[in-house]
Amino acid sequence: MTGFVIVLIVLGALATAAVLVRGVIVMARGKDITGRQSNKLMSYRVMLQGLTVALVIILILMTRNGG
C-alpha cells in the first residue's frame, strides 16, 4: 500500500511541476494580458501541491503506524 502512495506522490509532484512550467511559459509569452489563464494555472498548481502534501502526510502516518 505504501508503494501505491509513493507512486501517487511522484505523480502529484510531476503534475505540479508540469503546471508550474506551463504557467512560466504562459507568463513569458506575455499574451495573457488579463492574467486569467495565469490565475487558473496557479489555482491548479496550488491544488496539486495541497494534494501532494496530503499524500506525504498520509504516507508518514502509514509508515509511523507500521502500515
Side-chain angles (χ1 to χ4, degrees):
M1 186 64 172
T2 58
F4 180 68
V5 175
I6 291 172
V7 169
L8 289 178
I9 290 170
V10 170
L11 290 175
L14 290 174
T16 302
V19 172
L20 176 63
V21 169
R22 177 73 177 133
V24 169
I25 290 170
V26 166
M27 254 184 10
R29 287 188 180 164
K31 293 183 180 179
D32 186 23
I33 296 175
T34 63
R36 190 172 289 153
Q37 188 176 11
S38 294
N39 284 339
K40 188 175 182 181
L41 287 169
M42 185 172 52
S43 295
Y44 288 150
R45 182 184 53 83
V46 170
M47 179 189 66
L48 287 168
Q49 280 178 315
L51 178 65
T52 305
V53 168
L55 287 169
V56 169
I57 292 169
I58 289 170
L59 179 65
I60 290 169
L61 292 174
M62 286 173 59
T63 56
R64 189 174 175 198
N65 294 329

